[in-house]
Structures are given as structure tokens and as C-alpha cells.
Amino acid sequence: MSQPQTFSDRVWDFFCSLKLAIVTLIILALTSIIGTVIEQNKPPQHYLQNYGMSESTYQLLDTLQFFDMYRSWWFLGLMGLFAVNLICCSIKRFPGIWKIVSQPRLVADDGLFRTFSNRDELLIAGSVESVRDKLTGLLGARFAAPTVTEQDGKIHLFAQKGKYARLGVYVTHASILIIFIGAMIGNVFGYKAYVNIVEGSSIDKVWPRAGQEPIDIGFEVRCDNFEVEFYEGGRPKLFSSDLVVLEGGQEVLKKTIIVNDPLTYKGLTFYQSSYGPAGDPTFRFRVTARDSGETVEVNARQGQRVALPGGGSFVVNRFAQNYDNFGPAVQMQTTGADGRQGNPFIVLQNFADFDVRRGGAYSFSLLESDQRYYTGLQVAKDPGVWVVWLGCFLMVFGSLTAFFWSHRRLWAVIEPLDKGVGVKIGGSAHRNQPAFTLFFDELKKDVHETLKS
Amino acid sequence: MTSSLFFNLTTGAYFVAMVVFILYIAAKSDQVGFAATVIGWLGFAANTVAIGLRWREAYAMGFQQAPLSNLYESVVFFAWSILLVYLLFDLKYKQRAVGAFVMPFAFAGMIWAQWGLDDTIAPLVPALQSNWLTYHVITCFIGYAAFAVACGVSIMYLIKVGKEEAAGNNPIGGVLGMFPSTKILDDINYKAIMVGFPMLTLGIITGAAWANYAWGTYWSWDPKETWSLIVWFIYAAFLHARFTRGWVGRRAAWLSIFGFAATIFCYLGVNLVLSGLHSYGGG
């Protein structure tokens, strides 16, 4: 007696179907590969040069938005289809499931009993009431307290466990939609930006990744100090910035941030991301003239020529924070009083007498070196992130519920018969039937013992 | 007693266990199957001790880090995870023939790690100095290991299903007679993915949480992230295929195999072929 399907019924069934879910998931999996093979969001020259593609191929792929595919209309469309499928499927199935949870069937007829693979029948001598009380007590002790219903001279018992396991799958589905909503909130109301702060200075604006105009953050952030440390062998060990938040010139928050430990203030989070030198390094040297033995201390800045007693001069060409694991070092050159330029040489800060052995007209000890740095910070504002975490929590909770928790139900009918009291019990689990069968077989034994005693 | 001695013992034990599992199928002797399982347990014990010793060796060098920091350490942990999941399933199902199709994954991992990978203990760069590293790696690899077990039984399923259909109700003799029935294989496949899928989900979530904590963005469509999502899509399709006529049986087994292939690409291919944020060991 199937009714002819209208067009709208067919559309509805299409959006509700499990097949659509499977096909959408597979298409999402396949298309997602594109953006991992083609680098995303690079300038046109990058693709033309590195991928050896012709102008026309580039145009085609650009039209298909393959260079920014995760934001393309077709990929977002697929995600949208996925979401619509989820919603429709849930709307279709949820009311039925909710009825099972909220209005359980308290009375099992013969038709329902025939569907159980776990069932048992016995004939007991005694009264209906005593069988009812014994069975009620047993189910309560071994499973769950049953609901007793009297109907047509029969007594019906119903007991269940884990009814909310039925909702696990809907929690999981809803969690995906919640994550989508969280992502949208972040996209609309949040932003990603970056800012460089030179040691000792402060900023009150950050530069968004998308867009040209800086954003006024409404407070100031100062960087007091930036540190970089290395392991022996040169791998970086630590990047840290001492940050201070200022409101109207007043310090309100101080924190040393490192990678994996950011600073958050008024919904904005500052992440340690990069660093670099800010301006030329400055130095303090002790210089000894070999002939006279005269010693002077001088200040110098990289690239700046400094006069020495006796008519000579020197200039620092380069500075390294950690030269070959020997610590801070400069590469420098002297010019004699006669104007002749010497060869470049290295002076190490940690080895004060090292330069004497060079045997030049002057020997240098590097007493102090100071390189000012800027710290590079990622700045993120994402008011949707907690919605995303809520969705993630529900997804794990929901899927564990759906997979590992089962709704188990037991029905019993007690009826007076000619030769005694007839008892039928049966039950089912919506998941993990083997475990339920083991339980039911044990229960059967107990029922026989209890009722026959 | 160094970790490398125990890693060598592990590799040897996994090789012997693999061979004895294959012998079991050929010899059809329960004692042989039991012996293979015992060797598997011994290998797993050696693997555990080796990882523990390596952990201690790193601390002795002054690096306070779990042994999950580079490609070598991740591969030996992957082998450990495969054994963990396999042995737990063996305790429940006692289907010894499955070992012949799962042990090769663990052995391949160990032999590649021992012969092809740099086992230097190196300190962590700042980006990896986080407790999230441990949670993220453990959840991901338990998930990957469960998918390896699912892939192994899916291969067995595809080998057996044609013969079983042809035989009708008659029992299948010969080597295939030692395989579990397709019904049990299908059940193990499903149960393994039921374990792996939530673990992968947790792995992706802990990765996202960590990325958000370190860089301020929980998802940036980096190739590693994208591939983990691809794997997630495939197994999500598998789980829904179970309830759809026309998608159970062979197609589900193929989905499980493709899923594991995608998993391996996500784990190794992305690092060795593509570029991105996950730079462990530099290959």
C-alpha cells in the first residue's frame, strides 16, 4: 500500500538518506586531497613557476578556486550539504527514538515476543501474585526495577537500562553542527593578526592577516625583554618575551610568554611566533695597543668606525649571538694609522685573552654586546573557540555513548493458565547483542531457580 | 641494558611471531598458534621496556621529554600500539590467524625504524615543548593501531568471502578454514574501527587544542590536519555504511583498507612527500 511519492517527498528522502551521507563523506575525503597537493593561497607567479603550469591551466584552476579550495563555494557547498543531511536525518529519526526513550512500551504482545532472539517461557505452580513479587524482586536486583502493568488479566513487567544510549548518535550529529557554528562565530566576530614589538617599546595596534588597516586593540602591550636560548649543537631551546599590558599607562598584567604558553587579555591572545634583530647591535671593547701597552675602553655600534689612540681605527662588520657554540662573537677589521686595512678577524666575548694571540697592533676584548630584538607575536581573537570546544567534547562523549553503551530492555508477561502460572520473558539490546545474550542466559537460570523454589 | 638492545629484541620477536602465525595457518596446530601469541606478548614486553629505557636515557641526558619526539620514536610507538590493540582483541576473540595479517605491520615498522631511521635522542624545539604532545601522539597512534588491525582483518575478509560464498553451507577446508568466518572478521573489523574512530577524533581534537594554544588557530587546513580529516571522513563513511544495504560486506572491507592506506599517508606520506607544520625528525 505505498502511496505515490510526490516530488517534495523525494527531495526530503534524498536529504534524509544514509546513502547521501556516505557519498558526501567520500566526496569530501577525495576533494580535500586537492588542497594538500596544490599549495594554497600563493601568488600566481608561484604556481606558474613551481608547478610548470600554463597560463590557461592556471586560469582554469583559479576559476575552480583550487588555490583557495577550503573557502571555495563548492567545498563550502559540500560542507553545507553534509550539514543539511545531518539535520534532515535527525529530524526524520529523532521523534521515533525520543518516543522509545520517553514513552517505553510497557506491554509486550506476542508479535513483539516473536522478534526477540533472547526469550524464555516457563510454567510455575503457585499464585500470579507470588510470581509477580518474586520476578519483580529478581529483576530489580539483577537488572533494573520493573514497571508493573495489569491488563486483560495478565501482569506485564518492563525494565530497561541505558535508555539514553539511544541519544548518543544525535549528540554526535549535533556536535558537528555546534563545531560549524563555533567556526562561523570565529570567522565573523574574530580575527587573526600579527604584531612586532621592539624590546623596550609598546604597541596599541595589530595588523590583521586579511586587510590592510591596523586594528586598534584599546590597550597597550610592551615588550620588556626577548630571549632566545639554544641547545648545544645549535637547535633552538627557548623563545620568550616579557610582556606587560598597560591601560592608560598603568601596568595591569605581566607575563613571560613562550611558545605553547601565550598571554590572554580582554579576549585577545598573544602567541610567541617569531623574532628578529631590531637595529644594529652595540658593543663595549677593551683595546690594548701592543707597542705602548696602553689600554682604553670604547663603545661601538655595528658598521660604525671607531678611532683608536695612535691614529688607527676599527669597525665591527657582523655580530653573532652564538658563534660555533662559543657564545657571542663579532667579526671586525682594523685600519692602521697609515690607512692600510687589515684582514677581518673574530673576537669572542667569552674568551677575553683570545685576541692577544692574533698578534695585531691592537688586541681586543669584547666586554659587552647588546643586540636589541623585536618579538613577533601572533594575535588572535576568536569568540567562537569555546563553542568549538563544547562541540568537540560532545562529539567524543556522544560517539563513546553511541558505540559502547547499549539500551537493554526486558519484558515479562505473567498469566494464569489451567495448569499453573505462565511466565514469558524476553528482551533485546540495541547494541552489543552477544554480551546481552550472555547476560540473558544467566538471568534465565536465576529466574528458574527463584520461581521454582 | 640499553634501549637499542631491547628494540632489537622487539624487532626479532615480531619477526618470529609473524612467521609462527603463518606456520600456524599452514600447520593448523593450536599449540603453534599459542606459541606465536606468547612470542607476540614477549615482543610487546620488550617493546615496552625499550620505550621505558629510552625515556630514562633522555632524562639522563637532561631532556625532560616523553619518547615521542621524532619519526624513529613515533614508529616504534606505533608498533607498540599495534601490538597493544591486537593483543587485547586476541584476548577477546582468540582468533589466532588474525596475527598473521597484523604482525607484518608491526614488524615492518620496527625493521624500518631499526634500519632506516635516525635514532639519536634530540631535545625538543620550543614548538613541541608541551604536554599536548603526549596526549596528541598517544590518542592518534592508538587510533592508527586499531585501523591497522581493522585493515588486517579486512584483507582476510576479502580473501575468504568469495570462497565462503562458493562453498555455501559447507565448511571451508584448507588454509582458509583456519581463518575466522567472514561474520567474525566483519565483527572484528567493525569493533576495531569502533575503538579507532573515537581515538582518532580525540587525536584530531587534542591536535586542534594544541595548535590553538601554540599558534592561536585550531584549524588551518595544513596538509597534516587535512589528511587526518580525510581519514576521519573515510571511517565515518564506513560506520554509516554498516547501516546501509549494498554497503556492507565487501565494500565495507574495502573502505577499511582505503581508510588505513589514508592513515599511513597521513602519518608518513604527508611528512615525506608534502610540506607542512609537522616536521618531526625532518624525515
Side-chain angles (χ1 to χ4, degrees):
Chain A
M1 258 217 347
S2 68
Q3 295 202 337
Q5 276 201 318
T6 63
F7 177 71
S8 61
D9 282 343
R10 285 214 299 274
V11 170
W12 174 248
D13 284 350
F14 171 78
F15 282 115
C16 288
S17 78
L18 214 47
K19 272 204 176 105
L20 178 68
I22 297 169
V23 171
T24 311
L25 285 166
I26 291 174
I27 294 175
L28 276 170
L30 290 175
T31 52
S32 293
I33 297 173
I34 297 168
T36 68
V37 179
I38 302 175
E39 284 176 90
Q40 299 286 292
N41 297 305
K42 299 279 182 210
Q45 311 85 283
H46 179 84
Y47 299 105
L48 293 169
Q49 285 162 10
N50 296 11
Y51 289 75
M53 58 176 71
S54 65
E55 192 78 36
S56 57
T57 315
Y58 174 80
Q59 290 296 347
L60 175 69
L61 297 184
D62 193 35
T63 312
L64 293 170
Q65 294 178 290
F66 276 16
F67 303 122
D68 190 13
M69 69 151 279
Y70 302 110
R71 274 192 288 265
S72 69
W73 61 269
W74 56 266
F75 192 76
L76 293 178
L78 272 172
M79 288 286 206
L81 181 64
F82 181 54
V84 168
N85 187 206
L86 269 173
I87 294 167
C88 291
C89 181
S90 301
I91 290 175
K92 187 179 175 183
R93 286 156 211 254
F94 185 73
I97 298 296
W98 183 243
K99 208 175 157 210
I100 291 178
V101 172
S102 60
Q103 301 163 20
R105 200 166 155 179
L106 298 175
V107 173
D109 54 24
D110 289 343
L112 183 61
F113 264 104
R114 271 195 292 277
T115 65
F116 298 143
S117 53
N118 300 296
R119 59 168 188 257
D120 193 27
E121 286 188 42
L122 1 46
L123 191 62
I124 307 289
S127 72
V128 169
E129 285 71 27
S130 82
V131 170
R132 180 195 64 194
D133 292 345
K134 280 180 183 169
L135 197 54
T136 306
L138 178 70
L139 287 181
R142 290 292 317 275
F143 186 66
T147 313
V148 183
T149 314
E150 292 204 34
Q151 202 177 62
D152 307 331
K154 298 178 189 174
I155 294 173
H156 299 268
L157 302 185
F158 170 75
Q160 63 175 348
K161 264 183 140 174
K163 63 178 178 181
Y164 291 112
R166 299 264 182 184
L167 303 181
V169 58
Y170 299 99
V171 172
T172 310
H173 286 176
S175 75
I176 294 171
L177 300 174
I178 291 171
I179 291 172
F180 282 175
I181 291 168
M184 282 190 263
I185 293 173
N187 266 316
V188 174
F189 300 106
Y191 59 81
K192 311 274 182 236
Y194 66 93
V195 67
N196 294 337
I197 313 178
V198 175
E199 285 177 294
S201 72
S202 61
I203 54 95
D204 57 5
K205 291 183 180 63
V206 295
W207 277 259
R209 300 230 161 257
Q212 307 293 315
E213 290 297 306
I215 297 171
D216 208 321
I217 56 174
F219 55 91
E220 280 183 78
V221 180
R222 190 175 73 214
C223 174
D224 283 345
N225 185 35
F226 172 82
E227 292 276 345
V228 53
E229 288 176 27
F230 296 90
Y231 293 108
E232 281 178 45
R235 279 158 74 93
K237 182 180 182 180
L238 179 79
F239 304 118
S240 71
S241 305
D242 298 340
L243 299 186
V244 181
V245 177
L246 302 144
E247 289 255 33
Q250 295 290 309
E251 292 187 7
V252 289
L253 182 62
K254 266 184 141 162
K255 181 168 181 181
T256 300
I257 65 160
I258 58 172
V259 184
N260 279 312
D261 190 14
L263 173 143
T264 302
Y265 184 71
K266 286 196 170 168
L268 275 186
T269 309
F270 297 82
Y271 302 86
Q272 180 69 58
S273 160
S274 64
Y275 73 100
D280 294 323
T282 55
F283 312 99
R284 185 162 181 81
F285 287 100
R286 183 188 301 123
V287 189
T288 310
R290 192 159 62 132
D291 296 341
S292 60
E294 188 187 352
T295 295
V296 289
E297 290 195 6
V298 293
N299 293 321
R301 175 180 291 276
Q302 180 171 304
Q304 183 191 60
R305 186 159 291 280
V306 179
L308 289 171
S313 66
F314 73 93
V315 64
V316 175
N317 298 324
R318 272 191 289 156
F319 171 69
Q321 193 71 255
N322 189 12
Y323 177 79
D324 260 3
N325 284 323
F326 290 118
V330 290
Q331 191 225 52
M332 56 193 291
Q333 263 177 307
T334 54
T335 305
D338 52 2
R340 272 235 313 270
Q341 200 167 15
N343 291 324
F345 57 94
I346 307 280
V347 174
L348 301 167
Q349 186 171 342
N350 295 346
F351 301 88
D353 301 328
F354 176 73
D355 192 49
V356 177
R357 282 180 281 167
R358 182 172 52 89
Y362 301 97
S363 66
F364 294 84
S365 301
L366 179 54
L367 304 176
E368 281 168 35
S369 58
D370 185 30
Q371 169 68 72
R372 276 222 300 175
Y373 284 96
Y374 71 82
T375 181
L377 306 176
Q378 300 258 26
V379 185
K381 181 184 171 188
D382 191 346
V385 75
W386 290 106
V387 180
V388 172
W389 297 145
L390 172 70
C392 289
F393 170 78
L394 290 176
M395 180 181 284
V396 173
F397 174 75
S399 59
L400 290 178
T401 305
F403 289 147
F404 298 108
W405 204 26
S406 128
H407 183 204
R408 289 145 291 161
R409 291 179 290 178
L410 286 175
W411 283 270
V413 184
I414 304 164
E415 57 183 324
L417 295 173
D418 299 342
K419 292 172 186 163
V421 179
V423 178
K424 269 196 286 189
I425 55 171
S428 66
H430 96 300
R431 240 169 225 293
N432 204 2
Q433 281 85 1
F436 185 73
T437 301
L438 287 178
F439 162 76
F440 191 82
D441 291 345
E442 283 294 307
L443 182 75
K444 238 166 37 182
K445 272 189 233 156
D446 289 355
V447 168
H448 281 245
E449 275 173 27
T450 312
L451 293 188
K452 291 196 168 151
S453 64
Chain B
M1 301 292 256
T2 64
S3 63
S4 67
L5 169 71
F6 277 90
F7 280 125
N8 286 330
L9 286 174
T10 308
T11 314
Y14 290 171
F15 176 73
V16 175
M18 177 178 83
V19 171
V20 179
F21 272 121
I22 294 167
L23 277 177
Y24 158 71
I25 294 176
K28 298 174 196 166
S29 149
D30 284 347
Q31 280 96 329
V32 178
F34 180 72
T37 307
V38 169
I39 298 165
W41 276 104
L42 291 174
F44 179 65
N47 204 341
T48 311
V49 171
I51 291 172
L53 283 174
R54 192 174 165 94
W55 200 330
R56 217 173 62 175
E57 284 158 19
Y59 267 69
M61 291 167 75
F63 308 145
Q64 315 249 313
Q65 62 193 41
L68 302 167
S69 66
N70 60 22
L71 189 57
Y72 174 86
E73 290 177 344
S74 78
V75 172
V76 297
F77 183 71
F78 186 31
W80 184 87
S81 311
I82 291 174
L83 262 286
L84 175 72
V85 175
Y86 165 72
L87 292 170
L88 290 178
F89 271 81
D90 181 71
L91 286 179
K92 181 156 194 284
Y93 285 88
K94 303 208 165 41
Q95 294 292 344
R96 297 278 140 81
V98 172
F101 287 80
V102 175
M103 287 308 297
F105 293 125
F107 171 64
M110 286 308 299
I111 198 76
W112 181 46
Q114 293 301 87
W115 283 356
L117 294 176
D118 180 8
D119 68 350
T120 317
I121 297 180
L124 292 175
V125 295
L128 295 180
Q129 293 165 10
S130 169
N131 285 335
W132 286 108
L133 173 68
T134 313
Y135 311 138
H136 176 57
V137 173
I138 288 175
T139 48
C140 284
F141 279 96
I142 301 284
Y144 291 0
F147 297 150
V149 172
C151 175
V153 294
S154 292
I155 293 170
M156 295 175 84
Y157 180 94
L158 290 174
I159 294 173
K160 182 148 187 180
V161 69
K163 291 272 160 46
E164 200 173 79
E165 279 166 4
N169 284 331
N170 304 322
I172 300 179
V175 167
L176 289 185
M178 299 305 289
F179 283 27
S181 70
T182 50
K183 209 177 139 198
I184 293 175
L185 288 170
D186 187 58
D187 188 41
I188 300 177
N189 189 19
Y190 179 55
K191 292 276 162 59
I193 290 172
M194 235 164 69
V195 171
F197 188 74
M199 278 304 192
L200 174 71
T201 307
L202 263 178
I204 294 174
I205 292 171
T206 50
W210 184 13
N212 191 60
Y213 201 57
W215 298 310
T217 166
Y218 53 84
W219 198 262
S220 53
W221 294 102
D222 152 82
K224 193 82 166 184
E225 291 171 348
T226 308
W227 270 96
S228 70
L229 190 64
I230 290 169
V231 172
W232 192 88
F233 282 144
I234 296 175
Y235 287 110
F238 173 92
L239 290 168
H240 290 84
R242 298 274 308 175
F243 307 112
T244 312
R245 226 178 308 144
W247 278 86
V248 288
R250 281 194 179 83
R251 276 200 207 177
W254 276 115
L255 268 180
S256 173
I257 292 170
F258 284 132
F260 186 60
T263 304
I264 290 299
F265 191 82
C266 177
Y267 170 31
L268 299 171
V270 171
N271 295 82
L272 305 179
V273 182
L274 306 173
S275 61
L277 299 168
H278 278 70
S279 55
Y280 37 63

